[in-house]
Amino acid sequence: MAAVVEQRSIDVVPDDERHGTPVSQFTLWLGANLQVTAVVTGALAVVFGANAFWSLTGLLLGNLLGGAVMALHSAQGPRLGLPQMISSRAQFGVRGAVVPLALVIVMYIGFFASGTVLAGQAVGELTHLGDTTGIVVFAAVTGVAAAVGYRLIHVLGRVASVVCALAFLYLGARLLERVDLAVLLHDRSFSFPLFLLAVSLSASWQLAFGPYVADYSRYLPRHTSTRATFWWTLSGSVLGSQWSMTFGALAAAAAPAAFVGHEVSYLVSLGGTGLIASALYFVIALGKLTINVLNTYGGFMSLVTSVSGFRGRRTLTPHGRAAYITGIMLAGTAVALLGKDSFLTSFKDFLLFLLTFFTPWSAINLVDYYLISKERYDIPALSDPTGRYGAWNGRALTVYVAGVLAQFPFLATHFYTGPLVAPLGGADISWLVGLAVPAALYWTVTRNDTGRVAPAPAADPGGSPTAAPTAAPAPAPAADAATAPVTAADSGDSPTAPPAPRP
């Protein structure tokens, strides 16, 4: 059983436990995005006023922009062998990282809840037990899968990428039998605010993966190509999300009354009745299971990271692991049950408001990792409040708060609209401000702070980076080598270069 259930949490994955290829990132993120919540996200662009043509264009642009940021985070996993959010300690301090972490945990619970609402409908129909029972059953299955951990998550991604792709091909063909695509795309009147809404919806979808994407690449071998990890992650996530969102936008444009508020039943009605309907309910539940397990697992990692910053423990017992995951599951289930009757409006506002808090974190993390630290972190210091990164980094936290506040004049949600939204024609550009302002501020205040940058490791005779030599006469074991400062193995291995011919 120990070989099946993952034993690690926020501790470094040693080299002798690394496995897999970057292709695993493609199947995981393709499967995670071929699901009904992404369909709803695409539909929202049309529901809130954009025509189908510019909705699809805006959604694609947002997926590419947000997906590029998300994939840059994914490329950190093989280098560090750590969950994504623990690397935030290098920017905010061992304890200061709890500020973005607390918001990340709220995000995971929110996404768990929104996904469980839709999956609960499918499970309820499949079992004839109703939505409430379906939500509870689905949540329990999600918790068990998250407790098993990393390997099962990737298996789910591979299965979902095939099964859900086949289902979406079938549903897409059925949709095109009912509608005239040329008619749907004929209206090309352009509204800049509505176009930006479509961009923001898909960009926020992708950016929301940033705080946990490296959790699922951290077991890849240390010298995995950075650009391969980047491109396989980007390709899977953009293809899956754009496919789902395109279907949602076209469905909402073709039959707004039948689709909006009845997303799951509409999808199933396209396919047919009887066994086909049951199979589609299963596919919807499978797609949601994949992404909900990611949300539960990521919430677990973030919660442990938050607590360990103050308690100092980097390992968990199996019972402790189960307790954390159960807590995330129960919180998400409670939110799902309370909010299931006002899902669509609440989800749109939740998704867009998330950008306010996660774009500054993303900007700071990427600037620090790629430009300031040059892909090198002092891994032991990430758990030492008295070490290189300290307990609290006031400058980074100040930049983070400034990045959040800078967005409010440009923010447009159901419950708050900034004063600069109207002069821009109603367009919400807050997420662009949230990326640019903290990135520039953080680079300005930290570019000369060499004391926080880990030294470059010495190169071994074969040319690969190793830990700096110590006074000990014997070589360090593999697990200890994994805790040394790390860097990219090959110079010029830029994530913006074309993908390598091999995975």
Side-chain angles (χ1 to χ4, degrees):
M1 186 66 178
V4 176
V5 178
E6 184 183 6
Q7 301 300 303
R8 298 198 175 276
S9 56
I10 62 169
D11 46 327
V12 178
V13 180
D15 288 341
D16 60 356
E17 294 182 21
R18 305 288 190 100
H19 61 274
T21 69
V23 179
S24 64
Q25 304 306 301
F26 176 84
T27 54
L28 176 65
W29 293 107
L30 177 64
N33 284 286
L34 285 173
Q35 43 102 351
V36 67
T37 316
V39 172
V40 172
T41 302
L44 287 174
V46 173
V47 169
F48 289 100
N51 58 53
F53 179 83
W54 287 111
S55 291
L56 298 183
T57 306
L59 290 168
L60 177 60
L61 179 59
N63 275 318
L64 289 170
L65 293 175
V69 174
M70 170 261 208
L72 286 169
H73 288 296
S74 178
Q76 297 177 23
R79 292 293 181 265
L80 302 178
L82 289 168
Q84 182 69 65
M85 288 306 293
I86 200 169
S87 69
S88 297
R89 293 176 175 179
Q91 297 99 54
F92 299 99
V94 174
R95 293 172 180 161
V98 75
V99 175
L101 274 165
L103 297 168
V104 165
I105 294 167
V106 173
M107 179 191 78
Y108 290 129
I109 293 172
F111 270 107
F112 179 102
S114 63
T116 301
V117 169
L118 294 176
Q121 295 176 19
V123 174
E125 292 290 340
L126 191 61
T127 62
H128 305 290
L129 295 175
D131 291 356
T132 299
T133 303
I135 286 172
V136 173
V137 170
F138 182 80
V141 174
T142 298
V144 171
V148 174
Y150 185 91
R151 288 183 182 273
L152 179 57
I153 289 170
H154 275 278
V155 170
L156 279 173
R158 290 193 293 271
V159 172
S161 66
V162 175
V163 174
C164 295
L166 292 174
F168 271 90
L169 283 172
Y170 173 71
L171 289 172
R174 295 283 290 179
L175 177 64
L176 293 178
E177 289 176 0
R178 296 188 178 191
V179 303
D180 187 333
L181 185 60
V183 172
L184 288 182
L185 299 179
H186 178 72
D187 180 7
R188 301 190 179 181
S189 56
F190 182 75
S191 167
F192 186 62
L194 292 176
F195 177 76
L196 275 185
L197 172 64
V199 175
S200 297
L201 284 167
S202 54
S204 65
W205 176 269
Q206 296 288 347
L207 290 169
F209 292 134
Y212 66 24
V213 60
D215 297 5
Y216 310 105
S217 61
R218 75 190 198 279
Y219 277 85
L220 291 175
R222 184 186 303 275
H223 301 306
T224 298
S225 167
T226 297
R227 61 188 175 190
T229 305
F230 173 88
W231 283 107
W232 283 115
T233 303
L234 177 67
S235 300
S237 193
V238 171
L239 175 60
S241 57
Q242 186 64 26
W243 190 348
S244 298
M245 292 179 190
T246 297
F247 182 91
L250 294 178
F259 178 79
V260 177
H262 311 282
E263 296 82 13
V264 172
S265 60
Y266 179 82
L267 290 178
V268 174
S269 70
L270 277 178
T273 59
L275 288 177
I276 292 179
S278 296
L280 289 173
Y281 280 125
F282 173 79
V283 169
I284 291 170
L286 175 63
K288 288 311 307 173
L289 179 64
T290 304
I291 190 64
N292 257 34
V293 171
L294 298 185
N295 292 327
T296 309
Y297 186 87
F300 150 67
M301 290 290 184
S302 295
L303 192 55
V304 175
T305 301
S306 299
V307 173
S308 70
F310 294 87
R311 296 183 61 187
R313 295 182 61 183
R314 285 184 290 174
T315 58
L316 276 180
T317 65
H319 291 298
R321 180 189 181 93
Y324 277 105
I325 291 173
T326 300
I328 296 292
M329 181 194 70
L330 291 176
T333 303
V335 174
L337 292 172
L338 291 171
K340 64 186 178 69
D341 296 325
S342 58
F343 166 71
L344 194 63
T345 300
S346 299
F347 179 66
K348 178 253 186 182
D349 286 333
F350 171 71
L351 190 63
L352 291 179
F353 196 63
L354 279 176
L355 284 171
T356 308
F357 299 96
F358 295 112
T359 48
W361 166 82
S362 191
I364 291 169
N365 180 269
L366 292 177
V367 168
D368 184 78
Y369 181 75
Y370 288 106
L371 301 182
I372 304 298
S373 298
K374 307 296 184 184
E375 303 182 42
R376 298 192 302 270
Y377 283 150
D378 183 346
I379 302 298
L382 292 174
S383 300
D384 182 5
T386 64
R388 183 186 303 275
Y389 304 118
W392 303 84
N393 184 349
R395 285 184 296 177
L397 290 168
T398 300
V399 169
Y400 176 77
V401 172
V404 171
L405 295 178
Q407 297 173 79
F408 276 84
F410 305 92
L411 186 64
T413 67
H414 180 70
F415 51 86
Y416 172 80
T417 300
L420 297 182
V421 172
L424 292 170
D428 183 335
I429 63 167
S430 59
W431 65 279
L432 292 171
V433 175
L435 285 173
V437 170
L441 287 177
Y442 187 79
W443 183 80
T444 300
V445 302
T446 61
R447 58 180 175 165
N448 296 320
D449 188 1
T450 57
R452 298 178 64 85
V453 179
D460 64 17
S464 62
T466 63
T470 66
D480 290 333
T483 63
V486 295
T487 184
D490 45 315
S491 60
D493 191 14
S494 168
T496 58
R502 59 178 177 80

